[in-house]
Amino acid sequence: MDIKTLHDADVIGISTAKSAFDTLATAFGQHIESWQHDVVDRLGHSEWTGTAAGHANTRISNLGTELQSAKQELGLVSRALQDAYDGFAAAQAHLISALDDAKTHKLTVADDGGITWDKDPNSPNFAGNDAENQAKQIQARITAALNEADHADQTINTRLGHLATNASNGTGLDSATAKADTDAANALEQVPAAGTDPNSVKAWWNGLTDEQQHRMILNHPDQLGNMDGIPAVDRDQANRINLARGKQDIQRQLDGLGPAPATTIGSGRFIRPNPAYTDWQQKHDDLTDKMNGINAIEGRLNHPVDDKHPPTFLMGFDTNGHGHAIVAVNNPDTADNVSTYVPGTGARLGSIGSDINRSDVMVASANDASKGKSTTSSITWVGYDAPQNIIPEAADDTYAKNAEDKLVSFENGLHATHNGKIGNNTILAHSYGTTTVGYTMRDHGLPVDNAVLIASPGAGVENAKDLRIDPNHVYAAQSQADAIGWAAATDPGGMGDNIWDNVKSDWGFGDGDHHLMYGRQTTAPEFGANVMPVDPDAGHSDYWNDGSPTLAAMGQVIAGKQ
């Protein structure tokens, strides 16, 4: 598709053709009704019997079925023509808008898409000092419009070609074929059910024109925003809608709480805490926490792009429970290296800001490791319900088990939507997040090249090989100053019931075999991981600090340099 072809395209002609085809289809339907009334019904009430009558009635019945199937197929042609008109009209409108803006900014667009402008400040046609930037933006819009038209052309051509083949070889007269074609057309207008395989979701999405995709995003952002198999750019558009709506809803709930009740009730020696205040405070704190997370996401999405703040994509969002968000620094569908970061205890919507900061510095570290020769996307995945406190929640592996299917689907979705094969794919986790990742890899496997376990209380396995990837690509880090080493196992082979019973000064390896809460300590030699360098004084959350040797090592792994 080129500029002139799209600009001059007679899209109204498609609409006219569609109307003419509707007239034809309507007439065909009327003929079927006449056939039913004048032939089928009369024969059905006649006294004609015998072998010939039986054969005739059977053939007539079959013919009626064929006519109904043909009517269905004709209806599908009309729907395809309508989608073609919508798709081409939208692409043409986007192109014309870009060309009009080019004229407004005194830019000249050539037939091949090249843009030139008058650079003489003294000329009446001077395009201004911002001309180059404007030209880049308009050129990108022109390219997007042409791609949109190409996509619509290919999609509609496939649909019409299939229906034309059915008409020419007679398969369109088969009721099963007509039903399958109708179901396929209806499926294009329906969002796949939650839990649908990401590859199937991507195939469905690719079958829509750009205009249909746009309508889907506007009409179903809550479903598409969190659906694995939808490209990152499209999920981002849907989730920005979800974010705005979520913010409005949280603010409405905050306003609805009203002023705080009195903290106590009663008087004198009968004074006591006010249950109404306790309830108000819990709701207020929860809503405020979510609003803080929403504001942090908004701030990062809207931050000007610079060396420390690459483009950001919101790939998941909701306010259910403690809230969830999935934020990608750089586009994971186009990056050479893709890393998913799974935080641990305390991860929720309200804490997302600090986790996004970690993704920022991991991208920077990977860029340093590759010396700018590859691109990296780091995704903060708060797509599960993480424990919110150490005791008792972090001592319960239910949170990790409940996250397994979600994490598998998300990682499969990254492969489904990536432009070609991901060059180097890493799963990286911290604290309880390593347990979540370890359980998932142990029970299902993950399509990753590397696993990085930072400050782990145990990954649910005895050895790196049990994570179902090459153990040479399993990495672990833990500082001697990190209190996670005191998370001793409750009963790894006959130990006491209390998790603190067996804590020793040598990191709490209570059974003498380097076991922590959820399996063998990941930096122990017996585990078999590559042990990453650490600052010996690093605390539990210090591995991402400036100058951290662990952060540098993370960058090496993410960039595929280890």
Side-chain angles (χ1 to χ4, degrees), residues 8 30 46-47 50 57 88 125 131 166 178 237-238 247 259 270 303 365 380 407 422 426 431 449 480 524 541 556:
D8 297 342
Q30 291 171 345
S46 72
E47 297 180 357
N57 284 325
F88 286 122
N125 293 318
N166 286 356
Q237 292 179 21
K247 184 174 185 177
F270 297 104
H303 195 288
S365 181
T380 293
L407 186 55
I422 299 176
T426 300
S431 192
D449 301 304
Q480 292 183 3
S541 298
Q556 291 282 332

Side-chain angles (χ1 to χ4, degrees), residues 345-380:
T345 301
R348 61 190 188 281
L349 177 58
S351 67
I352 193 73
S354 60
D355 290 317
I356 298 173
N357 291 338
R358 290 180 177 178
S359 278
D360 277 328
V361 298
M362 284 189 284
V363 167
S365 181
N367 289 341
D368 289 342
S370 71
K371 302 187 186 307
K373 294 181 179 179
S374 63
T375 57
T376 294
S377 173
S378 176
I379 306 162
T380 293

Side-chain angles (χ1 to χ4, degrees), residues 122-287:
N122 298 316
S123 170
N125 293 318
F126 177 52
N129 296 324
D130 194 38
E132 184 174 3
N133 180 52
Q134 292 294 338
K136 289 180 179 178
Q137 293 183 33
I138 289 172
Q139 195 160 50
R141 290 167 58 190
I142 291 172
T143 300
L146 295 177
N147 290 339
E148 185 177 354
D150 276 332
H151 185 199
D153 186 43
Q154 294 169 13
T155 301
I156 298 304
N157 183 61
T158 298
R159 290 172 62 184
L160 290 176
H162 171 74
L163 294 170
T165 299
N166 286 356
S168 63
N169 63 20
T171 55
L173 300 177
D174 177 66
S175 59
T177 297
K179 181 180 185 306
D181 290 343
T182 300
D183 289 345
N186 290 339
L188 292 175
E189 301 171 2
Q190 299 170 356
V191 178
T196 299
D197 173 70
N199 288 298
S200 298
V201 172
K202 183 58 165 57
W204 165 76
W205 191 249
N206 286 347
L208 303 176
T209 65
D210 293 62
E211 179 61 21
Q212 288 173 315
Q213 291 175 356
H214 179 65
R215 290 202 302 266
M216 281 287 177
I217 290 171
L218 293 179
N219 294 334
H220 307 284
D222 53 329
Q223 294 170 270
L224 297 180
N226 294 292
M227 182 164 286
D228 301 320
I230 302 294
V233 170
D234 300 312
R235 287 178 75 159
D236 178 66
Q237 292 179 21
N239 281 314
R240 288 178 188 246
I241 297 173
N242 294 334
L243 185 72
R245 292 177 179 176
K247 184 174 185 177
Q248 291 177 344
D249 181 59
I250 296 298
Q251 188 60 58
R252 178 188 59 77
Q253 293 183 62
L254 278 169
D255 294 341
L257 286 178
T263 57
T264 60
I265 55 176
S267 60
R269 62 193 181 95
F270 297 104
I271 195 169
R272 60 191 185 280
N274 183 1
Y277 174 79
T278 301
D279 180 64
W280 181 93
Q281 187 67 52
Q282 289 176 342
K283 292 178 180 178
H284 184 271
D285 289 350
D286 175 66
L287 293 170

Side-chain angles (χ1 to χ4, degrees), residues 18 75-84 159 182 185-186 189:
K18 190 262 183 189
L76 295 178
V77 172
S78 177
R79 289 169 65 174
L81 289 172
Q82 180 63 54
D83 290 341
R159 290 172 62 184
T182 300
N186 290 339
E189 301 171 2

Side-chain angles (χ1 to χ4, degrees), residues 421-483:
K421 187 178 183 297
I422 299 176
N424 190 53
N425 192 16
T426 300
I427 188 81
L428 187 150
H430 177 237
S431 192
Y432 190 94
T434 68
T435 306
T436 298
V437 166
Y439 273 41
T440 305
M441 296 182 75
R442 177 196 69 191
D443 296 340
H444 305 277
L446 284 177
V448 297
D449 301 304
N450 317 291
V452 180
L453 310 173
I454 307 294
S456 177
V461 295
E462 292 293 290
N463 192 282
K465 64 180 177 60
D466 298 324
L467 296 176
R468 298 168 67 171
I469 65 170
D470 183 348
N472 290 320
H473 288 270
V474 177
Y475 302 83
Q478 183 176 314
S479 164
Q480 292 183 3
D482 190 338

Side-chain angles (χ1 to χ4, degrees), residues 4-127:
K4 181 174 175 53
T5 300
L6 179 57
H7 183 275
D8 297 342
D10 179 19
V11 294
I12 297 300
I14 302 176
S15 180
T16 302
K18 190 262 183 189
S19 296
F21 202 87
D22 287 345
T23 300
L24 174 64
T26 299
F28 186 78
Q30 291 171 345
H31 285 306
I32 293 177
E33 291 180 6
S34 298
W35 160 267
Q36 180 69 37
H37 179 266
D38 296 338
V39 178
V40 179
D41 291 347
R42 288 185 180 181
L43 284 176
H45 293 91
S46 72
E47 297 180 357
W48 185 28
T49 60
T51 302
H55 288 309
N57 284 325
T58 299
R59 181 67 189 103
I60 289 171
S61 176
N62 291 339
L63 183 58
T65 300
E66 291 174 354
L67 290 172
Q68 290 295 339
S69 298
K71 181 182 177 182
Q72 283 184 265
E73 293 277 294
L74 289 174
L76 295 178
V77 172
S78 177
R79 289 169 65 174
L81 289 172
Q82 180 63 54
D83 290 341
Y85 170 77
D86 292 341
F88 286 122
Q92 188 180 65
H94 294 155
L95 174 66
I96 292 173
S97 174
L99 295 176
D100 287 344
D101 286 348
K103 290 181 180 179
T104 300
H105 289 92
K106 299 181 179 180
L107 304 174
T108 301
V109 180
D111 289 342
D112 63 359
I115 300 179
T116 57
W117 59 92
D118 192 334
K119 301 177 182 179
D120 183 0
N122 298 316
S123 170
N125 293 318
F126 177 52

